[in-house]
């Protein structure tokens, strides 16, 4: 109590939120921050219950203390007092709750983190810290008020993890961690033209060289380079899918090696360094990813026809079997191109099924799912008509590539099987020798081994994307299944021993074993991801902390 008037014989009770613990004072003291006085005439203030806090002179604890946030904007002080821990939650990693009275909507996001909406406390770390500015900059808020997740992005960025460019003439470059301007169309066309011209010239020179240098041709045949190239390219095609399909984080020290593997995976657009986002709409890019082998095949066959016509006119004597030779060589070119392109194109086709879910609302536990190769597109046919159109294209190309193309290889092998086993190869068998000449003709299973190996590569780079399409790359299920499949393939390889040459068998065995090891290490890296040095799942089950470089 207090009394501020002289001559009074009674004292006045302090109001709520105040106290007085000394006699003879003319005023009351306000309760300090973190305390409250709910009753008038209090001689002391009561500390707020954990984890609540209050302002100076409060009669109740109406918000959460520092390092906590309130998960609802519609909570009364009475509800908060009764169930404080139900409404006050610890500040999530990536948020800054140093100041008390933080709620879900105003949760300050640190630089390098992003969330899908102000109604969730689930924060996602950005690999591109330049684009994810968190709550520090309001540069995008004036322009994108209808896109709530863009307020955490730098200027000219929006969408999940700030990886969508606002300007149509820009594309997101992971190495630069931001959107940059696309090369001019003429420059993109020039790159593609040069790549095709080099491929055509290389084929023509190789053909001429092999015809002129018969001795060298015999040496190359004796080394069985064809089988070794097929084994190494197949290995690179699977390894290059580790980041996109299996979500294995690669240390910066090793990225140069994995980029090297990517070149040998025969991804045409990546080889000529054409950003996919600069090719127009995502639908157009998707179609080009699926059709580039047909374009390459058509160009090479046209070049072959042009060369053969000129060669025929320069010769003194004309041959009568030009059409037959042209047909044989065209089919051989198509088989080689489709064989090497099949795993890469199949992986690109499954981009239409690779989504990632982000939590949108904590109250009703809802998520929004976005297409990984087109983050501005939601993986929901009812919400996004563009995605519905993309799915129709997916099923068409899925039928054409992972289903019909291997089936065509199998039918060709079935057609020539008897002639090859009888050592009387027909014209068709000679044309298709790329598919069988490295294997033991006496064994029917060995003769079909290229088909088995092709299906293995398609499964590891394509079909496996159907396992948990939204979160599969963030979990160990795909890696575990891939490890089992690779182990079974290695066991079958050692049992059947399909190759003619023992060195080809050794090389195939080594590459298969390395894949098993890599998938196993990928599981360990997933377990170790995000763990502290001496804590978490990694330390519990593995016994030490590993990153991709140590592994």
């Amino acid at each position: 109590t207090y009394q501020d008037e002289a001559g009074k014989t009674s004292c006045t009770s302090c109001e709520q939120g105040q106290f007085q613990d000394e006699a003879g004072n003319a005023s009351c003291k306000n309760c300090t921050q973190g305390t409250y006085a709910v009753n008038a005439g209090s001689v002391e203030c009561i500390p707020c219950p954990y984890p609540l806090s209050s302002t100076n002179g409060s009669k109740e604890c109406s918000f959460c203390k520092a390092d906590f946030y309130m998960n609802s904007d519609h909570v009364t002080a009475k509800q908060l007092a009764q169930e404080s821990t139900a409404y006050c939650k610890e500040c999530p990693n990536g948020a800054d709750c140093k100041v008390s009275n933080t709620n879900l909507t105003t949760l300050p996001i640190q630089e390098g983190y992003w969330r899908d909406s102000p109604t969730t406390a689930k924060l996602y770390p950005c690999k591109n810290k330049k684009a994810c500015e968190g709550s520090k900059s309001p540069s995008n808020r004036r322009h994108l008020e209808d896109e709530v997740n863009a307020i955490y992005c730098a200027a000219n960025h929006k969408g999940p993890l700030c990886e969508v460019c606002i300007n149509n003439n820009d594309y997101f470059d992971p190495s630069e961690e931001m959107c940059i301007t696309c090369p001019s169309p003429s420059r993109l066309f020039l790159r593609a033209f040069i790549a095709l011209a080099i491929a055509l010239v290389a084929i023509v020179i190789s053909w001429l060289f092999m015809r002129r240098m018969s001795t060298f041709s015999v040496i190359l045949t004796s080394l069985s380079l064809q089988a070794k190239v097929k084994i190494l390219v197949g290995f690179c095609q699977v390894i290059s899918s580790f980041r996109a399909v299996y979500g294995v984080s690669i240390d910066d020290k090793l990225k140069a090696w994995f980029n090297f593997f990517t070149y040998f995976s025969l991804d045409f657009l990546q080889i000529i360094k054409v950003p996919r986002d600069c090719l127009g709409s995502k639908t157009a890019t998707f179609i080009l990813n699926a059709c580039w082998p047909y374009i390459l095949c058509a160009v090479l066959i046209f070049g072959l026809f042009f060369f053969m016509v000129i060669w025929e006119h320069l010769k003194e004597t004309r041959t009568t079997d030009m059409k037959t030779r042209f047909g044989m060589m065209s089919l051989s070119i198509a088989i080689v191109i489709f064989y090497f392109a099949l795993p890469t194109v199949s992986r690109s086709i499954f981009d239409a099924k690779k989504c990632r879910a982000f939590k949108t609302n904590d109250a009703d536990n809802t998520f929004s799912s976005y297409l990984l190769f087109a983050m501005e597109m939601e993986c929901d046919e009812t919400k996004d008509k563009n995605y519905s159109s993309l799915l129709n294209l997916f099923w068409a190309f899925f039928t054409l590539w992972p289903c019909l193309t291997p089936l065509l290889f199998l039918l060709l092998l079935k057609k020539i099987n008897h002639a090859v086993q009888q050592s009387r190869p027909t014209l068709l068998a000679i044309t298709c020798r790329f598919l069988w000449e490295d294997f033991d003709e006496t064994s029917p299973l060995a003769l079909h081994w290229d088909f088995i190996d092709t299906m293995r590569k398609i499964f590891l780079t394509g079909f496996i994307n159907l396992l948990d399409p939204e979160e599969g790359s963030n979990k160990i299920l795909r890696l575990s299944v891939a490890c089992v499949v690779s182990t079974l393939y290695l066991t079958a390889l050692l049992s059947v021993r399909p190759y003619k040459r023992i060195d080809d068998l050794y090389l195939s065995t080594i590459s298969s074993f390395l894949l098993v090891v890599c998938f196993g290490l990928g599981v360990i890296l997933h377990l170790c991801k995000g763990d502290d040095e001496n804590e978490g799942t990694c330390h519990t089950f593995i016994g030490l902390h590993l990153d991709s470089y140590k592994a």
Side-chain angles (χ1 to χ4, degrees):
T1 59
Y2 74 102
Q3 183 52 260
D4 57 353
E5 296 182 18
K8 297 291 184 178
T9 58
S10 62
C11 294
T12 304
S13 296
C14 293
E15 296 178 357
Q16 291 176 310
Q18 296 180 328
F19 76 102
Q20 185 50 263
D21 56 352
E22 297 176 354
N25 279 281
S27 62
C28 293
K29 304 173 185 177
N30 285 330
C31 292
T32 58
Q33 183 178 354
T35 63
Y36 71 105
V38 67
N39 298 318
S42 297
V43 295
E44 64 177 355
C45 294
I46 304 171
C48 288
Y50 180 85
L52 302 181
S53 187
S54 63
T55 58
N56 291 331
S58 293
K59 64 179 180 180
E60 58 190 9
C61 299
S62 57
F63 53 83
C64 304
K65 62 182 290 186
D67 298 326
F68 288 81
Y69 74 96
M70 190 183 298
N71 61 5
S72 176
D73 295 335
H74 307 289
V75 182
T76 64
K78 184 178 180 180
Q79 291 175 314
L80 195 59
Q82 292 174 345
E83 299 179 274
S84 59
T85 55
Y87 295 105
C88 288
K89 301 296 182 180
E90 289 190 20
C91 193
N93 186 35
D96 185 1
C97 306
K98 294 178 181 178
V99 180
S100 60
N101 197 14
T102 299
N103 59 42
L104 184 61
T105 305
T106 61
L107 190 66
I109 311 300
Q110 295 178 5
E111 185 179 4
Y113 287 85
W114 174 90
R115 64 174 174 172
D116 196 36
S117 80
T119 57
T120 178
K122 177 63 177 177
L123 308 184
Y124 298 89
C126 300
K127 296 178 182 178
N128 45 294
K129 294 185 178 181
K130 291 181 181 178
C132 294
E133 292 189 345
S135 302
K136 76 170 189 176
S137 173
S139 56
N140 262 355
R141 296 178 190 178
R142 298 186 300 272
H143 308 292
L144 298 167
E145 294 178 358
D146 57 328
E147 300 189 37
V148 291
N149 57 30
I151 62 176
Y152 311 111
C153 304
N156 193 32
H157 295 74
K158 65 175 183 177
L161 303 175
C162 303
E163 293 185 3
V164 179
C165 302
I166 296 175
N167 294 335
N168 293 330
N169 197 37
D170 291 350
Y171 74 98
F172 186 81
D173 188 345
S175 62
E176 296 290 336
E177 299 184 356
M178 60 189 304
C179 292
I180 60 177
T181 304
C182 290
S184 63
S186 58
R187 189 174 179 182
L188 295 178
F189 177 79
L190 181 62
R191 289 180 184 177
F193 178 78
I194 291 174
L196 290 173
I198 291 175
L200 182 60
V201 170
I203 291 174
V204 171
I205 292 176
S206 300
W207 182 72
L208 288 174
F209 190 75
M210 296 291 284
R211 283 177 62 90
R212 298 281 183 178
M213 301 292 292
S214 57
T215 304
F216 187 74
S217 176
V218 171
I219 294 175
L220 288 180
T221 304
S222 66
L223 292 176
S224 185
L225 289 183
Q226 176 178 284
K228 294 173 177 60
V229 169
K230 289 162 72 173
I231 293 169
L232 292 175
V233 169
F235 175 78
C236 292
Q237 286 174 325
V238 177
I239 283 290
S240 63
S241 68
F242 261 44
R243 281 179 285 186
V245 177
Y246 299 96
V248 178
S249 299
I250 306 300
D251 190 273
D252 289 338
K253 303 183 186 72
L254 301 176
K255 282 185 178 178
W257 285 98
F258 276 81
N259 290 336
F260 174 78
F261 289 139
T262 301
Y263 283 110
F264 282 90
S265 70
L266 303 182
D267 187 335
F268 181 71
L269 294 179
Q270 196 156 9
I271 291 174
I272 63 177
K273 295 186 178 298
V274 173
R276 287 178 167 82
D277 291 345
C278 298
L279 298 175
S281 67
K282 297 298 183 181
T283 302
T285 303
F286 184 75
I287 294 173
L288 183 60
N289 283 338
C291 294
W292 69 260
Y294 289 98
I295 298 172
L296 179 61
C297 192
V299 171
L300 293 181
I301 291 176
F302 175 78
L304 174 67
F305 175 77
F306 183 74
F307 173 78
M308 290 185 70
V309 169
I310 295 177
W311 183 264
E312 192 69 19
H313 281 286
L314 292 177
K315 290 172 62 177
E316 295 181 359
T317 57
R318 303 290 176 89
T319 56
T320 57
D321 61 343
M322 179 180 170
K323 290 182 179 180
T324 303
R325 289 191 298 112
F326 174 73
M328 291 176 59
M329 295 183 69
S330 298
L331 180 58
S332 297
I333 289 173
I335 289 174
V336 172
I337 290 176
F338 289 165
Y339 176 87
F340 284 120
L342 182 55
T344 300
V345 174
S346 297
R347 186 180 71 186
S348 299
I349 290 170
F350 277 95
D351 283 344
K353 281 290 187 179
K354 287 189 287 188
C355 303
R356 182 175 178 184
F358 296 94
K359 198 168 190 179
T360 303
N361 193 302
D362 291 347
D364 51 12
N365 199 36
T366 56
F367 290 79
S368 293
S369 185
Y370 300 92
L371 201 61
L372 283 177
F373 97 101
M375 288 290 237
E376 70 276 13
M377 197 179 294
E378 281 199 60
C379 295
D380 190 334
E381 297 178 71
T382 60
K383 293 182 180 179
D384 198 321
K385 293 182 180 179
N386 291 328
Y387 182 66
S388 179
S389 302
L390 195 67
L391 276 186
N392 293 332
L393 287 172
F394 164 77
W395 289 115
F397 288 127
F398 173 81
T399 304
L400 181 63
W401 278 103
C403 296
L404 291 182
T405 303
L407 183 61
L408 178 62
F409 289 162
L410 180 61
L411 292 175
L412 286 173
L413 289 171
K414 286 290 185 184
K415 182 74 173 177
I416 64 176
N417 179 51
H418 181 72
V420 172
Q421 286 193 312
Q422 295 296 321
S423 298
R424 293 196 300 267
T426 61
L427 193 61
L428 179 62
I430 295 173
T431 305
C432 301
R433 63 183 180 273
F434 178 82
L435 296 174
W436 59 266
E437 67 178 344
D438 301 312
F439 303 100
D440 183 7
E441 298 99 332
T442 61
S443 169
L445 187 59
L447 197 62
H448 293 80
W449 195 258
D450 240 350
F451 171 76
I452 297 172
D453 185 50
T454 297
M455 294 307 299
R456 172 190 69 102
K457 290 183 290 186
I458 294 175
F459 178 84
L460 294 177
T461 60
F463 285 114
I464 203 163
N465 287 288
L466 296 176
L467 290 176
D468 194 1
E470 293 190 353
E471 290 293 334
S473 61
N474 296 320
K475 298 177 182 177
I476 65 173
L477 176 61
R478 288 183 186 174
L479 285 163
S480 302
V481 172
C483 190
V484 172
V485 170
S486 298
T487 303
L488 292 175
Y489 176 82
L490 177 60
T491 304
L493 178 69
L494 294 175
S495 300
V496 178
R497 302 173 70 88
Y499 289 94
K500 289 179 180 178
R501 294 173 58 98
I502 192 68
D503 54 342
D504 292 339
L505 178 64
Y506 288 159
L507 182 61
S508 182
T509 302
I510 292 171
S511 66
S512 300
F513 176 74
L514 286 176
L515 283 179
V516 174
V517 172
C518 288
F519 286 125
L521 288 175
V523 173
I524 295 175
L525 292 176
H526 264 290
L527 293 174
C528 294
K529 186 165 57 177
D531 280 354
D532 294 331
E533 187 73 25
N534 295 309
E535 297 179 358
T537 308
C538 180
H539 187 265
T540 301
F541 291 98
I542 309 302
L544 71 163
H545 187 83
L546 287 177
D547 55 27
S548 59
Y549 183 70
K550 292 178 182 178

